[in-house]
Amino acid sequence: MAPERPRGADALPVDSSRVEPSATSPGSTLYAALDLGTNSCRMLIAEPKGSHFQVVDSFSKTVQLGLGLEASGRLSRASMGRTVQALRICQKKLEKHRVRRMRLVATEACRRARNARDFIRMVRRETGLQLEIINPEEEARLAVISCAPLVNPKTEQLLVIDIGGGSTELVWIDLSEVAPDQRARSIMALHNGFKPRRGAARVVDWISVPLGVATLKDQFADVEDDAARFALMSWFFEENLSSFSPYNSENAREGFQIIGTSGTITTVAASFLRLRRYDRTKVDGLHMTSDQIDQVIRDYLALGPEGRRVDPQIGRDRHSLIMSGAAILQALMRIWPTDRLSVADRGLREGLLYQQMNADGVLEDGPL
């Protein structure tokens, strides 16, 4: 399948332990964001706090909605059943907190499945929740705005990468015409779309590659040798990037920043830090060099499938997918003109929250 693109211009999984639930302020309006991907179902409930938001409750569950989708083109009965069970828990949390403002979105698995509409109706019937299937551009845009607080004022060229279960989104942004102290906020303004505006962040190009940690793994499931499978996955992913316009760009390293968000990237970061228990405060915003990333990947290969399965830094929900994610990450770091990666423990859900709060005007002006 060819990458989907416009014309013209998962470490330890995130779970409820990543945040400390906070008390809700009297009379405050709560917002919810749910991201149903190919592999996981994740939700955040938060309230506005100044120019940011504070998480009140969260949920994360590996549901493997896209299991078997590559072969059949359909969501299986078992996968839909697991997902509905997770969504029932989300519905109870939304009801408990009396959330009225929410966006509940589904991504690549539901975009591709022939029976996705039947599944959406099933979810509505069983849980009362109305899922919305978003297109690749909106998914990319939401991932970008979630990373706005991590943009360096010195950054002139920015690449945001979001490695999902069923697809990988890349967005190339030119910030050279934006004042340094406004560059992070100009990224936030992209919630209105990728259309260029004078003096604003300019999206040079973006791409949604229909290969994520689950779908890439399925492509090479018949290759038995661990190292050979990894090399093939990395090569195959790079081949699918050839039409992305900045691919052959010769930009200087100075002023270039890559921000990566995904369970794969936060896992690699946790392994680099040798965390026995995941700590978001140590991972979010961490800078890693290409050499440090390569060393973690070499360690994963040395462990082998069984060693990765029991490694506490990888986690039980991530061990079978970490090498396909690492293959994507290594390919991206090999291509772009920088040897540093900014790690973001944030993504679609945070982008959904910022989008809703910006639309309602409930976020105050101030540093991101």
Side-chain angles (χ1 to χ4, degrees):
M1 181 182 290
E4 188 164 351
R5 61 197 310 261
R7 301 293 179 190
D10 257 324
L12 305 174
V14 178
D15 61 20
S16 58
S17 65
R18 74 186 275 270
V19 291
E20 290 294 331
S22 65
T24 306
S25 303
S28 64
T29 299
L30 294 183
Y31 292 75
L34 185 144
D35 168 18
L36 178 59
T38 302
N39 194 54
S40 303
C41 174
R42 296 168 174 163
M43 183 177 72
L44 289 178
I45 298 174
E47 63 175 328
K49 286 284 185 182
S51 59
H52 296 276
F53 57 78
Q54 185 170 2
V55 173
V56 173
D57 204 349
S58 64
F59 174 80
S60 180
K61 180 75 173 176
T62 299
V63 294
Q64 295 183 301
L65 178 62
L67 189 64
L69 176 62
E70 194 73 24
S72 69
R74 298 175 61 85
L75 304 174
S76 72
R77 188 184 300 271
S79 296
M80 291 191 293
R82 285 192 301 271
T83 304
V84 167
Q85 288 179 358
L87 289 170
R88 283 197 183 105
I89 297 173
C90 293
Q91 188 274 330
K92 289 177 181 176
K93 285 178 175 285
L94 292 168
E95 193 173 76
K96 171 188 172 185
H97 293 287
R98 300 180 182 179
V99 180
R100 295 291 176 265
R101 295 285 286 120
M102 65 186 80
R103 282 196 74 189
L104 318 174
V105 306
T107 55
E108 185 69 9
C110 287
R111 287 196 290 261
R112 295 177 59 187
R114 293 198 301 269
N115 60 339
R117 296 298 172 185
D118 293 335
F119 171 64
I120 297 296
R121 285 192 289 268
M122 175 185 176
V123 169
R124 177 74 180 208
R125 185 175 63 250
E126 298 288 333
T127 70
L129 300 179
Q130 184 62 56
L131 290 176
E132 168 192 359
I133 303 174
I134 61 173
N135 63 38
E137 178 179 341
E138 182 161 18
E139 183 176 2
R141 189 168 69 243
L142 291 165
V144 166
I145 65 176
S146 75
C147 294
L150 299 181
V151 175
N152 191 307
K154 296 180 180 179
T155 296
E156 295 190 350
Q157 303 293 325
L158 173 69
L159 178 70
V160 176
I161 59 177
D162 180 14
I163 305 172
S167 64
T168 298
E169 279 66 46
L170 295 91
V171 184
W172 179 285
I173 301 166
D174 183 349
L175 295 167
S176 60
E177 294 184 6
V178 182
D181 63 346
Q182 291 298 310
R183 284 173 179 169
R185 193 160 292 281
S186 73
I187 297 295
M188 188 74 75
L190 291 172
H191 73 86
N192 291 318
F194 281 168
K195 294 179 181 178
R197 292 185 296 116
R198 179 181 291 275
R202 183 176 67 88
V203 175
V204 177
D205 201 1
W206 70 275
I207 188 171
S208 180
V209 183
L211 292 170
V213 294
T215 45
L216 184 59
K217 172 179 173 285
D218 289 347
Q219 290 272 357
F220 295 92
D222 58 341
V223 180
E224 294 185 5
D225 183 79
D226 196 41
R229 183 169 57 249
F230 174 80
L232 285 168
M233 289 190 296
S234 187
W235 166 81
F236 185 67
F237 184 83
E238 185 173 341
E239 286 288 299
N240 277 267
L241 287 179
S242 59
S243 62
F244 190 37
S245 69
Y247 179 86
N248 295 315
S249 181
E250 297 296 331
N251 290 297
R253 290 172 181 264
E254 188 175 351
F256 188 96
Q257 183 181 8
I258 295 182
I259 300 178
T261 172
S262 73
T264 292
I265 292 171
T266 54
T267 300
V268 169
S271 296
F272 168 69
L273 295 172
R274 302 192 181 280
L275 299 180
R276 304 253 344 149
R277 180 176 175 81
Y278 188 79
D279 185 343
R280 181 180 187 272
T281 62
K282 294 180 179 177
V283 171
D284 188 50
L286 177 73
H287 299 290
M288 297 184 67
T289 67
S290 297
D291 288 344
Q292 290 166 339
I293 292 169
D294 286 343
Q295 183 57 59
V296 171
I297 293 173
R298 285 195 294 271
D299 291 344
Y300 287 162
L301 286 168
L303 284 172
E306 182 57 29
R308 294 193 294 268
R309 188 181 69 81
V310 298
D311 190 293
Q313 291 154 5
I314 296 175
R316 288 175 295 178
D317 288 341
R318 182 64 54 176
H319 73 89
S320 66
L321 301 171
I322 189 60
M323 295 316 296
S324 51
I328 293 171
L329 178 58
Q330 190 179 72
L332 292 170
M333 294 304 293
R334 186 166 59 238
I335 293 167
W336 305 106
T338 183
D339 61 356
R340 291 176 67 81
L341 171 76
S342 302
V343 179
D345 184 353
R346 53 188 72 210
L348 197 56
R349 294 171 302 166
E350 287 84 357
L352 287 164
L353 289 172
Y354 277 128
Q355 182 190 58
Q356 293 178 86
M357 292 177 187
N358 270 313
D360 288 354
V362 296
L363 292 179
E364 300 173 5
D365 288 336
L368 293 180

